[in-house]
Amino acid sequence: MRFRTEIEIRPSDWGISHTTPLVMLGSCFTDEVGARLEADGFDVLRNPFGPLYNPLSLVRCLTRATALDSYGIEDLVEGPRGFHCLDYASRYSGPDADALLREINATQKSLHDALLRKPVVVLTLGSAFVYAMVENGRVVGNCHKFPADRFARRLASVEELCAALDGAARSLVELGVEHIIVTVSPIRHLADGLHGNTLSKSTLQLASAMLEERCGGVAAYFPSYEIMLDDLRDYRFYASDMKHPSEVAVDYIYEKFSDTFFSRQTRAEAIEARKRHLAACHRQIL
């Protein structure tokens, strides 16, 4: 008898090898998978601007980077730590606007240069809920702990998200990117409530399906969320906060990722690279 519905993985028609650069953007789950790829010897650029949870902010990051659309003083907001760039993580703030803009634009240039290398781009979608500034309707990637009344919260539509992702995909293709992997983060956003989390994740799944249909051959969907929800399907695979996957769960999802995109030779090379990584991290106790 079978007591769980283990997901059936079909190997991709194309693969990731150790000569394949990867650019990974999106929610903090991106960092979990990206760290494992780095430990396995892959060339990875992950979340240079910090985690981006909603697809509209993620698309802005990509669109401005592909176009090398530099940030100026008009893109910053004054707040408790001086100047803030609400597009990105809260660390993109400080008392010196010029220094902050130099840091943002240098990071954007590094992302642009990484995209010119024709990497596989991995987009991890975290939430379909977006926060927009009340004064101008601009969607932010991070609220930087500004007062809540500065923002209006809404659920983005499937069509809105798909249109944004489709535009970003086309910009990436123009730079030479041939493969985009889209996945929905398995991290539960319980602050949205259980029903709100379901609505959010379902919206992301539908937008991903529409994107894959529109950009067949370029965009491929990887089922991180489905593996967590329907394959593992047990609270013992969650961390103590009951929101984040446990280390074992992330390892399992990563294993399925490698089964999908790695050849047998690449998996063998990754095992050897992981051994070297662990040896380098080992500190002898005297």
Side-chain angles (χ1 to χ4, degrees):
M1 293 188 294
R2 299 180 65 185
F3 292 99
R4 54 188 275 256
T5 51
E6 184 173 355
I7 195 162
E8 299 293 333
I9 291 294
R10 183 179 69 84
S12 172
D13 294 333
W14 52 272
I16 295 171
S17 72
H18 283 86
T19 61
T20 308
L22 293 109
V23 169
M24 307 184 71
L25 301 169
S27 83
C28 53
F29 186 69
T30 298
D31 292 310
E32 294 279 3
V33 175
R36 285 161 172 77
L37 285 163
E38 289 172 353
D40 285 355
F42 291 91
D43 178 1
V44 181
L45 175 64
R46 55 183 170 106
N47 278 348
F49 288 108
L52 297 169
Y53 295 94
N54 77 77
L56 299 185
S57 293
L58 192 157
V59 164
R60 180 181 294 125
C61 168
L62 278 173
T63 302
R64 295 196 72 152
T66 56
L68 270 185
D69 180 12
S70 298
Y71 277 71
I73 191 67
E74 69 279 1
D75 294 304
L76 304 181
V77 177
E78 290 192 67
R81 295 189 299 280
F83 295 91
H84 297 251
C85 180
L86 301 186
D87 283 353
Y88 304 122
S90 59
R91 71 173 182 266
Y92 287 96
S93 60
D96 187 333
D98 290 335
L100 177 59
L101 289 170
R102 284 195 298 271
E103 180 184 5
I104 292 169
N105 290 325
T107 306
Q108 186 185 70
K109 177 66 163 54
S110 69
L111 174 55
H112 176 85
D113 291 346
L115 293 172
L116 289 177
R117 298 176 62 202
K118 300 182 180 180
V120 170
V121 176
V122 183
L123 307 179
T124 305
L125 313 182
S127 176
F129 283 103
V130 301
Y131 288 82
M133 299 181 69
V134 172
E135 59 202 64
N136 56 20
R138 181 183 176 90
V139 172
V140 302
N142 190 294
C143 294
H144 286 225
K145 297 186 178 180
F146 274 69
D149 60 9
R150 293 284 301 272
F151 308 97
R153 177 177 176 270
R154 65 179 176 86
L155 182 69
S157 70
V158 174
E159 293 75 15
E160 179 183 15
L161 297 182
C162 185
L165 289 166
D166 183 53
R170 293 180 189 279
S171 296
L172 290 171
V173 169
E174 288 177 2
L175 282 184
V177 172
E178 297 179 351
H179 298 294
I180 302 168
I181 300 170
V182 181
T183 192
V184 173
S185 169
I187 298 171
R188 302 196 299 167
H189 289 227
L190 296 184
D192 298 328
L194 290 176
H195 180 58
N197 179 70
T198 299
L199 286 175
S200 172
K201 299 296 187 181
S202 298
T203 301
L204 297 176
Q205 288 173 309
L206 288 168
S208 299
M210 288 179 65
L211 177 68
E212 191 175 21
E213 183 177 337
R214 291 184 185 182
C215 302
V218 175
Y221 183 74
F222 177 75
S224 299
Y225 181 74
E226 291 80 358
I227 293 171
M228 190 73 199
L229 191 72
D230 293 315
D231 186 344
L232 297 180
R233 200 178 179 82
D234 193 297
Y235 278 109
R236 67 193 170 101
F237 293 112
Y238 284 91
S240 59
D241 63 1
M242 295 292 110
K243 296 185 293 185
H244 291 76
S246 67
E247 287 293 310
V248 170
V250 179
D251 286 341
Y252 182 77
I253 294 171
Y254 179 65
E255 181 181 298
K256 294 296 185 183
F257 182 89
S258 65
D259 288 344
T260 304
F261 297 107
F262 297 174
S263 68
R264 182 178 298 178
Q265 178 180 343
T266 299
R267 283 195 291 271
E269 291 171 352
I271 290 171
E272 292 304 313
R274 179 69 66 96
K275 290 178 181 177
R276 292 192 296 271
H277 171 77
L278 293 175
C281 293
H282 177 70
R283 285 191 172 89
Q284 187 174 0
I285 299 176
L286 299 177

